Amino acid sequence: MIPDAATLKTYTADLRVLIVEDDRALLEESAALFRLLCKEVLTAENGQEGLARFEQEGPFDIVITDIYMPRMDGIELTRALRAQNPEQKIVVVSAHEESAYLIELINLGADAFVLKPVEIERLMDGVHKIARALHNERAVAEFNATLQQRVEEEFTKRRESESLLIQQSKMAAIGEMLGAITHQWRQPLTALSVILQEIEEESQNPELSRDQIREDSQAGLEQIAFMNQTVEDFKQLLKPDRQRQLFDVREATWAVVRLLSKLLASHNIHVDLDESTPIEPVRGHPSAFRQAILNLLSNAKDAIIARRQKEGTPQEGQIAIRFAQSGDRLTLSIEDNGGGIAADTVPQIFEPYFSTKGAEGTGIGLFIVKTIIVNTLQGSIEVQNAPKGARFVITLQT
């Protein structure tokens, strides 16, 4: 059933149509009708002229052609059009006695047939079906194009969001590190103060040997070296890695443990780091890896402190760090005795802005850990409940 003219025009308004017909009266009548519905209509009186207009003034959305015409018939024209554009939409107008040609036209892929004498309704019905198909194809193509654009925009937004979260996490890490440095430096600063006082007193006592002063000076230099190492560890933690490089996962982990050692000790938390299992180096970004380890150790510290407050017991905190090498896969596990994670929250633990710490948590720490391990280091991370707390397991390619 042919729709009304307004509905039909929604499908045909943007179409360019070429009509090839040697019957001038039929050609003019058809062209006049199509010009009411289509964007542009061109005409030709034989196949040769039609092919020339197609080549010089195309592309056309629909070509309507008669079969029997001088110079070049509709079959030859259809064959030539198909050779240039296999997807060209073609409507063939034929007389009853020309039905012998239909099989060849079907093989050539004509899209619609209209018998002579031409009934305008039949011709418009064939054009309507083709126009609707073209409309749908273009709608799908446009949707796919905009879908790709939307996907790219969403991907860009997500990367920007992740970048912002990583930056927020890094700022939080700086705060954590400043607290760690405070604890790291408090004891050596006190020791250095005592040593300087002793040197001053010794310099005024002629009975003391220069060896004693030299010994105290050496002790002072050792304290300064320790403090300098703390600063170097801090710098390495925040130093961006522009290139992927081979690095020792154990040494990178140990650097973070060194930074946190005094802070953890002040909370009666002991770290047991596996120093003997042979492991292979990993290619990636050591600074990003250290940030992930810092977040995991800070998370373990908070869990242990929270458990103490909840149970009201001063038990010693324990964090165990273990390594394992299996083929080209290195596994690192960090296990604490902070009481574990509620089973119903385990699936959400790595989601952004999800926190088990209530108002005190930002919900980005573990999300950043997963982002670094999965996206930056191309590894994997999972969480399990251990007998006394949580166990985070990182797997990396070596």
Side-chain angles (χ1 to χ4, degrees):
M1 180 178 178
I2 305 173
D4 58 76
T7 303
L8 181 59
K9 196 167 183 178
T10 61
Y11 297 112
T12 61
D14 294 328
L15 298 184
R16 297 185 76 239
V17 177
L18 173 62
I19 303 175
V20 186
E21 171 62 64
D22 63 334
D23 183 333
R24 179 166 293 183
L26 179 58
L27 178 64
E28 292 177 354
E29 180 183 356
S30 300
L33 176 61
F34 278 100
R35 286 190 177 106
L36 295 175
L37 299 170
C38 301
K39 178 181 179 180
E40 186 177 5
V41 177
L42 277 67
T43 61
E45 295 186 5
N46 59 68
Q48 193 176 74
E49 183 185 348
L51 180 59
R53 299 208 76 168
F54 180 87
E55 293 174 340
Q56 296 168 13
E57 301 177 67
F60 294 93
D61 300 291
I62 300 176
V63 175
I64 301 173
T65 180
D66 188 13
I67 288 184
Y68 186 71
M69 295 180 295
R71 299 187 187 176
M72 177 186 287
D73 63 25
I75 292 177
E76 293 177 279
L77 176 60
T78 299
R79 186 180 292 111
L81 297 180
R82 278 280 181 263
Q84 295 191 37
N85 180 11
E87 304 300 323
Q88 178 63 55
K89 303 298 184 184
I90 302 174
V91 177
V92 175
V93 178
S94 66
H96 288 288
E97 61 268 20
E98 295 166 346
S99 58
Y101 294 105
L102 295 182
I103 293 177
E104 186 169 0
L105 286 166
I106 290 171
N107 291 334
L108 289 172
D111 296 278
F113 298 93
V114 178
L115 296 178
K116 289 184 176 181
V118 175
E119 296 181 12
I120 294 300
E121 285 194 359
R122 288 183 178 276
L123 177 59
M124 296 309 299
D125 182 55
V127 170
H128 167 241
K129 290 176 181 177
I130 294 173
R132 186 172 58 184
L134 284 170
H135 176 82
N136 292 338
E137 288 175 7
R138 288 170 179 171
V140 170
E142 183 179 350
F143 174 80
N144 288 337
T146 57
L147 177 62
Q148 178 65 26
Q149 181 180 353
R150 290 198 300 270
V151 168
E152 290 175 357
E153 289 174 353
E154 190 62 32
F155 180 75
T156 300
K157 289 179 182 177
R158 182 174 178 180
R159 290 299 298 270
E160 290 174 351
S161 178
E162 286 184 359
S163 177
L164 178 60
L165 288 174
I166 289 174
Q167 187 62 29
Q168 291 175 347
S169 178
K170 183 161 286 191
M171 295 304 293
I174 291 174
E176 188 79 25
M177 286 298 93
L178 290 175
I181 289 175
T182 300
H183 283 275
Q184 290 284 76
W185 278 16
R186 183 173 289 124
Q187 183 176 340
L189 281 172
T190 301
L192 192 58
S193 177
V194 171
I195 290 169
L196 290 173
Q197 291 176 18
E198 290 180 352
I199 291 175
E200 182 181 4
E201 293 174 359
E202 290 165 355
S203 65
Q204 297 173 2
N205 188 345
E207 296 181 2
L208 292 177
S209 66
R210 297 184 63 83
D211 290 339
Q212 182 63 45
I213 296 177
R214 190 177 296 110
E215 183 179 329
D216 288 341
S217 298
Q218 182 61 36
L221 290 173
E222 290 174 0
Q223 295 296 331
I224 292 172
F226 173 82
M227 295 166 69
N228 185 61
Q229 182 61 50
T230 301
V231 173
E232 287 301 313
D233 288 340
F234 181 64
K235 286 168 58 180
Q236 287 299 317
L237 177 71
L238 300 177
K239 180 181 178 182
D241 303 308
R242 298 184 183 278
Q243 301 290 335
R244 290 168 60 84
Q245 56 187 279
L246 283 175
F247 70 96
D248 188 318
V249 168
R250 182 168 18 232
E251 177 53 37
T253 304
W254 181 238
V256 179
V257 172
R258 280 200 306 266
L259 267 175
L260 293 177
S261 59
K262 296 296 182 182
L263 177 62
L264 295 173
S266 71
H267 291 290
N268 192 26
I269 298 174
H270 173 71
V271 178
D272 179 15
L273 187 147
D274 170 14
E275 299 186 55
S276 60
T277 301
I279 60 173
E280 297 178 8
V282 166
R283 182 170 294 279
H285 301 273
S287 177
F289 175 79
R290 285 190 289 265
Q291 184 179 350
I293 296 302
L294 171 64
N295 285 0
L296 288 174
L297 292 180
S298 297
N299 193 72
K301 170 182 70 71
D302 292 343
I304 291 169
I305 293 172
R307 182 182 184 185
R308 284 180 188 153
Q309 293 172 345
K310 180 180 179 181
E311 299 180 355
T313 57
Q315 64 176 355
E316 180 185 41
Q318 296 285 342
I319 300 176
I321 303 175
R322 298 289 179 264
F323 301 94
Q325 184 80 46
S326 177
D328 62 351
R329 295 164 64 87
L330 185 153
T331 301
L332 160 65
S333 67
I334 298 178
E335 181 178 332
D336 62 60
N337 64 341
I341 304 167
D344 60 336
T345 64
V346 169
Q348 304 166 272
I349 202 70
F350 292 112
E351 293 182 6
Y353 304 114
F354 176 80
S355 175
T356 59
K357 302 174 186 177
E360 297 180 2
T362 62
I364 64 173
L366 292 178
F367 169 73
I368 293 302
V369 170
K370 184 173 183 179
T371 299
I372 290 172
I373 298 301
V374 175
N375 297 347
T376 305
L377 297 170
Q378 285 78 55
S380 65
I381 182 169
E382 61 180 18
V383 61
Q384 309 160 352
N385 271 319
K388 295 183 179 181
R391 180 190 300 120
F392 288 86
V393 181
I394 298 171
T395 302
L396 301 171
Q397 290 288 118
T398 57

